[in-house]
Amino acid sequence: DKVFGDKDKAFLVAWFNDLPTDKALPPGTLMILPKLEKRTPKKLDKKKPPSKLARANALLAKDDLDGALTLAGQANSRDPEVQTLIHTIHLRQATAQIASGQLDAARPSLAMVPNGFAGKDAAVEALQAALQKQQTTLALEKARSHFDQGAYQQSLEILEKLLKESPDRLEAHDLAS
């Protein structure tokens, strides 16, 4: 310990001097002490762990919207970057919900995004178009059901209304004729 500053290196003295490990040395014994270079211990780079914002951005990049939203919600809500991230996550959620036909779920997601936020207007238009398509499809199914049941007048009324709103619907033209 005195020579090397480390008790674990005492075996080096015994090894270099060919000493027995089970006997004590007589006084006055000369020993060879190996010279060790002093090395400065390597300093570990202590990196600051990534912030919740950085981790949330990483999850967003992996399309883990729920995980990103959870982490962003735990970050400083007054930080403009955090607010922008949260709005971006809600917008991406709404867009994904619209694309998958979950139109009722897309409305609250879009409501969380402030007006004027980049991409919101396009998402609102996409939602309105999807809702219109859904309503048209339901009306067409209802008209077809009335037609199949022999209620031709009711079917024709629905189809006329549908054609006024969406004159390009070929299915409505075919059923009306």
Side-chain angles (χ1 to χ4, degrees):
D1 195 28
K2 290 179 184 177
V3 175
F4 301 114
D6 186 354
K7 290 180 184 180
D8 293 335
K9 294 183 181 154
F11 77 94
L12 291 172
V13 175
W15 187 77
F16 273 101
N17 291 289
D18 210 18
L19 299 174
T21 56
D22 56 344
K23 295 182 185 176
L25 294 176
T29 305
L30 291 174
M31 293 191 298
I32 301 170
L33 298 176
K35 184 176 182 180
L36 297 177
E37 293 179 22
K38 296 235 177 189
R39 293 187 207 173
T40 57
K42 291 183 181 178
K43 291 184 180 179
L44 297 175
D45 291 335
K46 291 186 179 180
K47 292 183 180 179
K48 193 175 184 180
S51 67
K52 289 181 182 176
L53 178 64
R55 292 188 346 235
N57 274 314
L59 289 174
L60 180 61
K62 295 177 184 176
D63 282 332
D64 181 0
L65 300 178
D66 293 331
L69 188 58
T70 300
L71 272 176
Q74 294 172 359
N76 181 2
S77 63
R78 293 183 189 153
D79 183 351
E81 288 183 52
V82 172
Q83 291 173 353
T84 299
L85 178 63
I86 290 172
H87 298 323
T88 301
I89 294 167
H90 284 298
L91 183 61
R92 287 195 40 194
Q93 271 183 331
T95 304
Q97 291 163 336
I98 292 167
S100 67
Q102 300 171 354
L103 304 182
D104 291 334
R107 286 181 193 211
S109 295
L110 266 179
M112 299 297 288
V113 180
N115 291 332
F117 191 80
K120 181 177 182 177
D121 291 339
V124 168
E125 287 178 20
L127 177 60
Q128 289 172 342
L131 287 169
Q132 179 64 33
K133 183 178 179 182
Q134 184 182 51
Q135 289 174 344
T136 302
T137 302
L138 291 173
L140 192 56
E141 288 174 4
K142 188 175 183 182
R144 183 170 303 281
S145 174
H146 284 305
F147 183 83
D148 290 344
Q149 294 173 2
Y152 303 115
Q153 185 61 35
Q154 289 174 326
S155 176
L156 194 54
E157 288 171 5
I158 293 171
L159 290 171
E160 286 174 354
K161 182 180 177 187
L162 184 61
L163 286 171
K164 283 181 185 175
E165 295 171 4
S166 304
D168 58 334
R169 292 298 298 233
L170 295 177
E171 300 131 39
H173 283 289
D174 292 344
L175 191 57
S177 54

